Amino acid sequence: MVKNSFISIIPQEEKDKNKGSVEFQILSFTKKIRRLTSHLELHKKDYLSQRGLRKILGKRQRLLAYLSNKNRVRYKELIGQLNIREPKTR
């Protein structure tokens, strides 16, 4: 796995001024999720990391739901850039 390959989607100058934006938060959560997933492939019984992964997944899911309600176009672009699936609707 290549380190920090996910952050390169956003240019450096935008990273510095938009750290609180929804897109940047989703991007950083995605980076953490992929790092934890690769860790859990090696350490299958690390239950504390599994719990942390589930918490981060929930946070990202809530942010994605917020973004899809506020701006559907930006939501679709971000989903395409990060190669993540859309959550199933109930």
Side-chain angles (χ1 to χ4, degrees):
M1 185 168 117
V2 178
K3 277 191 167 184
N4 295 332
S5 63
F6 315 111
I7 293 294
S8 64
I9 295 171
I10 296 178
Q12 183 65 34
E13 63 274 356
E14 287 187 28
K15 254 193 273 187
D16 294 335
K17 66 179 180 179
N18 288 332
K19 286 189 178 182
S21 70
V22 177
E23 288 93 346
F24 186 82
Q25 290 180 34
I26 292 171
L27 186 68
S28 64
F29 284 144
T30 303
K31 180 183 170 191
K32 287 180 185 179
I33 288 168
R34 290 182 177 160
R35 190 177 67 234
L36 274 173
T37 303
S38 66
H39 168 78
L40 287 171
E41 287 175 357
L42 294 174
H43 308 281
K44 295 184 187 338
K45 294 192 175 187
D46 189 355
Y47 299 116
L48 199 60
S49 292
Q50 288 178 11
R51 181 175 183 261
L53 176 64
R54 285 193 298 266
K55 287 181 80 170
I56 293 172
L57 282 169
K59 287 180 184 180
R60 185 180 76 174
Q61 186 177 6
R62 286 192 298 273
L63 281 172
L64 283 170
Y66 170 80
L67 186 61
S68 77
N69 288 336
K70 290 292 180 182
N71 193 338
R72 193 71 175 173
V73 174
R74 284 176 28 202
Y75 169 77
K76 289 288 187 182
E77 286 177 3
L78 190 63
I79 292 285
Q81 285 178 345
L82 296 177
N83 294 326
I84 53 179
R85 295 179 291 178
E86 285 193 53
K88 294 181 181 177
T89 56
R90 295 182 184 185

